[in-house]
Amino acid sequence: MAKIAPLSGFPEWLPAGRIVEQQVLDTLRETFELHAFSSIETRAVEPVDRLLSKGETSKEIYLLHRLQAGAGQDKDELGLHFDLTVPLARYVLENAGHLDFPFRRYQIQKVWRGERPQDGRFREFIQADVDVVGQDTLAFHHEIELPLVMVDALSKLPIPRVTIHASNRKVAQGFYEAIGLTDVEQTLRIVDKLDKVGPAVVTELLERDVQATPDQARLTLELAQITSSDASFADKIASFDLHSQLLDEGLEELVALVEGANALIPGSVVADLKIARGLDYYTGSVYESVMEGHEDLGSVCSGGRYDSLVSDGKRTFPGVGLSIGVSRILARIIGKNVVAPTRKVPTVVLVAVNDETERAHAEKTAFALRKRGIATEVSPTSAKFGKQIKYADRRGIPFVWFSTDDGEQVKDIRSGEQTAVDMDTWQPAEADMRPRLEAGEQ
């Protein structure tokens, strides 16, 4: 038989890893709903022209074609969505008459990008988004609220601490215009590469691609290197003695964001003026984040304010949202054994089979336990009890159930303690009812 070669960029977890994934997703769902966000799911495909209309490049899109389609049969060119924001825009437009605004939605789904797979980057992966979308207007306070939702969600995951780094597009745009740079979008894209390529390359790109003078490039880098956990960044920017209405407005918003967020969750948001976000549709606050000790992984949660992404020509639907790269986080914590489940199966009890003539009794016992919410497996063989216990131990199943001449008994194979029990009342400890996540051995 020919060896099956794995497809890179399409992560698949072993059962233990899948337990980690499911608990992470469950935690995110529960937290988003605690913050009053409703769940939606959108289709996997969108028209390619819509996908291309939001500043993305065609190389990121997987096209969808039928193998047997004849010429001209597939009139609409479709592609798999590469994020959940573009589908949200279309969803809001199609359903605006049925939605209550501001519309608070969360969405946890797979997306696809035609990128070169590498550490933390996949061609198929899960994102978890939260957005608030308004009709015609959206209050600024949501730009403070949304990063705090993500800080709350991420703090409940079994991962290192995540801090949100924030900036404001108005600050960057106003600053660039004040120093005489006219191609703001290209400048933002170049600055967005700072962590990847370093100051020297960014300077070279600014001078080459936006015709920045050495002085303009220097000032652009000085702005990008400003970080602060409080509002002191505003004084540093004021020291440049540059002024514009857009710059002043952006500074006021960024100060309000940093002070407002940290008043509610201290240390949750840091002002970081190099945060640019390369996508064209962001217009206000922008966010990125990294896991402490895993900065090499890049941003694990990002997003921003957008005012013109969603419009039908008559109405606009401004919004603000953030997205967690769930698969990026999982690949790191599973691959580096940052966390591990206490067992690799959901099973709490293995019911031993004395011999095959008694299997029906074992199955009856299992059904009785399952009715009370206890995950139960019946031993696949009636081998010697020692082998059945080893079977349970390999899977991390904590209890083995025996039917004996003296009645029903349960053995905790971790301690070796075996006690008589009543099938209708026995209950394992709450901590044993499902696998728990704990720090792995790195």
Side-chain angles (χ1 to χ4, degrees):
M1 178 183 291
K3 184 178 180 181
I4 298 176
L7 283 174
S8 62
F10 296 86
E12 294 178 327
W13 313 122
L14 293 172
R18 177 63 172 157
I19 287 174
V20 176
E21 180 182 64
Q22 287 180 311
Q23 292 202 20
V24 164
L25 295 178
D26 288 344
T27 299
L28 294 177
R29 290 188 194 98
E30 291 168 5
T31 306
F32 296 159
E33 291 181 5
L34 279 174
H35 286 267
F37 288 84
S38 298
S39 174
I40 69 166
E41 181 170 298
T42 58
R43 65 197 186 204
V45 299
E46 298 290 340
V48 171
D49 58 354
R50 175 170 290 277
L51 294 173
L52 291 175
S53 68
K54 305 304 176 183
E56 292 296 324
T57 58
S58 58
K59 69 179 181 181
E60 291 188 328
I61 299 172
Y62 280 108
L63 298 180
L64 195 68
H65 295 294
R66 290 186 296 144
L67 184 63
Q68 302 295 333
Q73 285 186 326
D74 286 339
K75 296 180 180 179
D76 296 324
E77 191 173 34
L78 301 177
L80 296 172
H81 57 221
F82 54 77
D83 73 358
L84 299 178
T85 304
V86 174
L88 172 64
R90 189 263 311 158
Y91 180 93
V92 168
L93 286 176
E94 288 187 359
N95 297 285
H98 305 284
L99 300 176
D100 298 315
F101 293 96
F103 175 47
R104 303 171 64 89
R105 93 59 163 108
Y106 79 88
Q107 191 170 349
I108 302 175
Q109 262 182 268
K110 285 188 175 182
V111 300
W112 296 266
R113 292 184 188 174
E115 298 186 315
R116 180 174 64 86
Q118 51 187 298
D119 186 22
R121 288 188 176 274
F122 304 99
R123 293 186 282 183
E124 177 185 74
F125 54 99
I126 298 173
Q127 283 190 335
D129 286 21
V130 290
D131 286 77
V132 177
V133 179
Q135 183 169 293
D136 297 322
T137 62
L138 183 70
F140 171 77
H141 62 76
H142 293 295
E143 295 177 53
I144 302 174
E145 176 193 9
L146 266 292
L148 292 179
V149 173
M150 288 311 208
V151 169
D152 188 23
L154 291 163
S155 70
K156 295 175 182 176
L157 302 182
I159 62 176
R161 186 184 180 198
V162 176
T163 302
I164 302 291
H165 289 234
S167 186
N168 192 295
R169 277 289 183 88
K170 297 173 186 176
V171 172
Q173 183 173 343
F175 187 91
Y176 300 155
E177 291 175 351
I179 64 175
L181 292 176
T182 56
D183 193 344
V184 172
E185 292 299 333
Q186 184 64 13
T187 303
L188 286 167
R189 292 191 190 98
I190 293 171
V191 172
D192 200 31
K193 300 176 182 178
L194 181 59
D195 281 342
K196 296 179 182 178
V197 301
V201 174
V202 167
T203 298
E204 179 183 338
L205 292 173
L206 287 169
E207 293 177 352
R208 186 193 73 189
D209 295 347
V210 297
Q211 289 75 53
T213 66
D215 194 48
Q216 288 172 327
R218 174 183 60 80
L219 288 169
T220 300
L221 281 173
E222 287 184 13
L223 177 70
Q225 290 165 348
I226 294 174
T227 62
S228 175
S229 58
D230 55 30
S232 62
F233 66 88
D235 295 329
K236 297 177 184 177
I237 296 175
S239 69
F240 291 109
D241 198 26
L242 296 168
H243 300 283
S244 74
Q245 182 178 349
L246 198 61
L247 175 59
D248 293 343
E249 184 180 331
L251 274 176
E252 182 180 347
E253 290 181 355
L254 188 54
V255 168
L257 168 59
V258 172
E259 291 185 336
N262 289 328
L264 290 169
I265 304 180
S268 58
V269 174
V270 172
D272 188 343
L273 275 297
K274 71 175 177 294
I275 304 301
R277 302 292 296 140
L279 296 177
D280 295 345
Y281 48 71
Y282 292 119
T283 55
S285 298
V286 285
Y287 319 93
E288 287 192 358
S289 62
V290 293
M291 288 196 300
E292 289 185 1
H294 299 269
E295 289 79 7
D296 62 302
L297 190 60
S299 182
V300 297
C301 178
S302 58
R305 168 77 181 234
Y306 47 88
D307 286 314
S308 56
L309 178 68
V310 186
S311 176
D312 62 3
K314 298 179 180 178
R315 299 166 298 175
T316 59
F317 300 89
V320 57
L322 286 93
S323 174
I324 296 175
V326 178
S327 295
R328 174 173 291 191
I329 293 174
L330 289 170
R332 177 57 56 96
I333 65 174
I334 294 173
K336 299 292 185 181
N337 203 31
V338 175
V339 296
T342 51
R343 58 182 187 263
K344 58 186 179 182
V345 294
T347 315
V348 181
V349 179
L350 178 76
V351 179
V353 178
N354 296 345
D355 59 58
E356 291 303 323
T357 63
E358 296 188 31
R359 180 167 292 277
H361 177 75
E363 295 285 1
K364 183 178 180 180
T365 300
F367 269 89
L369 293 171
R370 291 171 190 143
K371 283 183 178 179
R372 293 193 291 110
I374 302 170
T376 306
E377 178 185 353
V378 176
S379 176
T381 72
S382 55
K384 292 181 179 180
F385 286 153
K387 289 186 176 180
Q388 295 186 56
I389 292 172
K390 286 182 179 179
Y391 174 88
D393 187 47
R394 284 198 305 271
R395 287 154 178 75
I397 301 171
F399 298 101
V400 178
W401 187 287
F402 298 99
S403 292
T404 73
D405 292 339
D406 296 324
E408 305 298 308
Q409 298 184 6
V410 166
K411 183 183 186 71
D412 185 332
I413 64 174
R414 299 162 297 185
S415 65
E417 181 181 2
Q418 185 166 329
T419 56
V421 291
D422 184 326
M423 184 189 306
D424 297 322
T425 60
W426 177 80
Q427 189 75 21
E430 181 62 29
D432 290 325
M433 284 294 286
R434 57 193 55 82
R436 292 170 288 107
L437 302 186
E438 57 187 14
E441 297 179 3
Q442 300 180 53

